[in-house]
Amino acid sequence: MEKYRELVDYLLSSYPNIIRPALGAIPYPYLIPGGFYTQQWDWDAYFMANHLCNRREPKPQYLKYWVDNFLSIFDPEEDTPACVRADEKVIRHPSLILKPFLARGAVRAMKDNHAEDWGREVFPKVENTVLRWEKVRRDEPTGLFFWYDSMMSGADNNPAVGDKPEDINQVLSCDVNAYIYAEYLALSEMASLLAYTDKAELYKNKAEDLKARIIEHLYHADENMFWNRRRDGQVIRRNAFSNYIP
């Protein structure tokens, strides 16, 4: 118990490095894994903010801040970057694009902060980030989504996604499709809570359609495994992070 207490004290003492106040072009307080960076990164801070929502004394405001910080660099005609920088520099490199977690963050932030008016305000932008995936990163023949490369996925150097020139925008990965499926469900829930009945039904149906396509194209019942596949139909039988997300 003494060692446990020492560990808890150490973790609590690290809070000032991990929970940072607004800085420069980052308009709201933000979370940094390990306290090593000055930027707000996408899924790092997302997972941390969800943890703070689940604490005995919840701090759901940090998930709302997470959403608001990304929306501060939102452009409806561009991809939203994977990090928000204090120096106002917006990097829109295809390997560093916000992973599809924003809708899930927004719906929980709205519920846990009792912030329906805020949810109504941000819903169009959150929805746009998901529709952007449909516009630029969906394979029309299968209806599945693809990463630009493994760095974009967050699982850097994942051999089942790849980083070689022939891999760019070519791998229909299990993880990204599971993430988009979850985003559709989050948009449906958020729309329902906001009484946007038609949109709630629309995104529920999109989720069910994508689920069916994932099973049709990526699941192999004889192997009891989801495998990534290339857009030309080649199955990538590499046991990697992305296979286990669905």
Side-chain angles (χ1 to χ4, degrees):
M1 180 60 71
E2 182 180 347
K3 290 294 184 182
Y4 170 78
R5 189 66 255 171
E6 289 177 5
L7 176 60
V8 170
D9 289 344
Y10 169 76
L11 293 174
L12 290 175
S13 72
S14 69
Y15 266 37
N17 291 325
I18 293 172
I19 301 178
R20 299 286 186 89
L23 177 66
I26 305 177
Y28 298 95
Y30 63 108
L31 306 172
I32 301 175
F36 300 117
Y37 310 108
T38 57
Q39 309 96 334
Q40 174 181 286
W41 286 92
D42 53 0
W43 69 354
D44 308 67
Y46 170 79
F47 293 134
M48 295 167 70
N50 272 277
H51 165 73
L52 291 178
C53 288
N54 292 327
R55 297 283 296 174
R56 186 173 301 170
E57 297 180 7
K59 294 181 171 64
Q61 67 269 31
Y62 288 99
L63 189 56
K64 182 173 176 289
Y65 296 152
W66 178 82
V67 174
D68 283 332
N69 282 332
F70 277 111
L71 293 184
S72 75
I73 57 172
F74 169 82
D75 183 330
E77 301 302 322
E78 299 282 354
D79 293 317
T80 302
C83 73
V84 188
R85 298 169 59 100
D87 62 6
E88 299 187 4
K89 187 175 182 179
V90 177
I91 299 177
R92 298 190 190 276
H93 188 281
S95 294
L96 297 173
I97 300 303
L98 176 66
K99 288 177 275 298
F101 284 79
L102 195 65
R104 280 174 282 171
V107 70
R108 181 167 190 184
M110 184 179 78
K111 291 189 296 183
D112 287 16
N113 288 282
H114 309 287
E116 183 176 323
D117 289 344
W118 173 84
R120 199 174 303 280
E121 177 184 346
V122 303
F123 183 86
K125 293 180 179 180
V126 173
E127 179 184 33
N128 182 281
T129 65
V130 178
L131 296 178
R132 176 79 182 168
W133 281 86
E134 294 182 358
K135 182 178 179 180
V136 301
R137 292 190 181 84
R138 182 167 63 183
D139 177 67
E140 291 306 321
T142 61
L144 295 177
F145 296 86
F146 50 86
W147 296 119
Y148 175 79
D149 60 10
S150 71
M151 180 175 285
M152 184 190 188
S153 77
D156 301 0
N157 306 312
N158 181 350
V161 176
D163 298 288
K164 297 177 181 178
E166 60 268 25
D167 299 323
I168 301 301
N169 289 330
Q170 292 303 311
V171 177
L172 307 172
S173 191
C174 303
D175 51 353
V176 69
N177 284 282
Y179 298 155
I180 296 290
Y181 168 75
E183 289 290 274
Y184 283 149
L185 290 179
L187 282 177
S188 179
E189 181 183 6
M190 193 171 182
S192 179
L193 292 170
L194 295 171
Y196 299 158
T197 307
D198 291 346
K199 285 187 180 291
E201 187 67 17
L202 170 67
Y203 288 111
K204 178 184 176 182
N205 291 338
K206 285 192 175 192
E208 289 303 311
D209 179 69
L210 180 56
K211 177 181 176 181
R213 292 173 186 273
I214 291 171
I215 293 171
E216 176 184 357
H217 296 290
L218 301 179
Y219 183 64
H220 297 260
D222 56 331
E223 301 169 80
N224 194 28
M225 177 61 76
F226 289 91
W227 296 117
N228 294 353
R229 57 164 281 184
R230 300 180 68 84
R231 296 174 71 182
D232 64 9
Q234 177 187 354
V235 177
I236 303 173
R237 285 181 167 81
R238 295 294 298 269
N239 203 345
F241 167 87
S242 48
N243 302 73
Y244 294 95
I245 299 301

